Amino acid sequence: EGDGPVRQVMFTGREVISWADAAAADNARARQLGLELLKLGVFVTPGGKSYLSSVHTDEDLAQTFEAYDKALKGV
């Protein structure tokens, strides 16, 4: 029935509500974010989706959010 809890960061100056909005996003920047996250130990598909799971602990989530904060400063 489709993907479970999923997130995907898109760099765009507008709300993403259509395929055209998503296509206008800065994919190179999203890929760079993914590469930075990998360097920080967060497993993602660079420029793609990442998934949350019920097995992720509060500590896992805190580490992930901290990695996003650090990675976003570099992109």
Side-chain angles (χ1 to χ4, degrees), residues 3-4 6-7 17 20 22-24 32-33 35-37 39 45-46 48 52 54 56 61-62 64-65 68 70 74:
D3 291 332
V6 64
R7 64 182 180 264
I17 57 174
Q32 185 61 38
L33 172 64
L35 294 173
E36 293 297 322
L37 288 168
K39 290 178 192 175
T45 303
L52 295 174
S54 61
H56 287 115
L61 295 175
T64 300
F65 296 145
Y68 267 89
K70 288 179 183 177

Side-chain angles (χ1 to χ4, degrees):
E1 304 256 345
D3 291 332
V6 64
R7 64 182 180 264
Q8 183 171 6
V9 175
M10 293 185 178
F11 293 94
T12 179
R14 59 181 164 189
E15 184 178 7
V16 178
I17 57 174
S18 70
W19 180 88
D21 296 331
D26 186 343
N27 294 324
R29 193 170 174 203
R31 179 172 165 68
Q32 185 61 38
L33 172 64
L35 294 173
E36 293 297 322
L37 288 168
L38 287 171
K39 290 178 192 175
L40 294 167
V42 177
F43 184 73
V44 296
T45 303
K49 299 174 187 175
S50 58
Y51 298 86
L52 295 174
S53 170
S54 61
V55 299
H56 287 115
T57 64
D58 288 345
E59 184 179 336
D60 294 329
L61 295 175
Q63 290 174 348
T64 300
F65 296 145
E66 184 178 327
Y68 267 89
D69 285 343
K70 288 179 183 177
L72 283 165
K73 291 177 183 171
V75 295

